[in-house]
Amino acid sequence: MPLTLFPQARTLLELQKLEEPGDPARFLRTHVPFSGAPRQHPYDKKTKVILVVDPGSSSTSYLEFKTADIARVEELANIVTPQGVTIPMVRIWIKKRSIAIRCTPFVVEDTSSS
């Protein structure tokens, strides 16, 4: 039986490593890591980035950061969906005290009747 589904590379967003921490202990005190699949911001492609926290989950959320607040980007292992689509994963380090947006979609229902 021949294989019909092969992993396909798909570039979603090009991020570059911005800085290497000089003192790792100090870097950990001043930055916080977030992991997920990077996406281009739909309206502000130059100054913002979206990070999908768990792209394979049915209850995923996303985070929105300013690119100026990203201090370091690390590539993680890619995720391959059952359909053969490759999703690149990264860990980004954000400066503490930065303002970001966390969005979690949900279904609106009346829970009192259940």
Side-chain angles (χ1 to χ4, degrees):
M1 180 159 131
L3 290 174
T4 56
L5 293 176
F6 293 100
Q8 300 172 5
R10 190 168 91 182
T11 303
L12 301 174
L13 177 65
E14 290 293 325
L15 291 175
Q16 61 183 358
K17 191 182 291 187
L18 298 176
E19 77 177 41
E20 287 291 330
D23 179 12
R26 181 177 174 273
F27 191 76
L28 287 171
R29 287 192 309 270
T30 59
H31 294 79
V32 177
F34 294 90
S35 299
R39 300 280 197 277
Q40 279 188 338
H41 193 278
Y43 309 113
D44 196 351
K45 294 175 179 25
K46 294 185 185 214
T47 62
K48 293 182 182 174
V49 65
I50 291 177
L51 193 68
V52 180
V53 176
D54 188 4
S57 172
S58 61
S59 61
T60 190
S61 63
Y62 69 86
L63 308 170
E64 179 182 294
F65 300 102
K66 292 180 183 175
T67 54
D69 295 332
I70 300 173
R72 184 175 181 199
V73 177
E74 301 172 7
E75 291 182 4
L76 300 175
N78 293 341
I79 294 175
V80 179
T81 67
Q83 294 80 21
V85 177
T86 302
I87 302 172
M89 300 291 286
V90 297
R91 178 180 297 122
I92 59 175
W93 291 81
I94 306 295
K95 296 177 209 172
K96 285 187 179 180
R97 311 282 303 159
S98 298
I99 303 296
I101 296 174
R102 181 186 322 226
C103 181
T104 305
F106 63 95
V107 176
V108 177
E109 287 190 43
D110 183 11
T111 58
S112 62
S113 63
S114 28

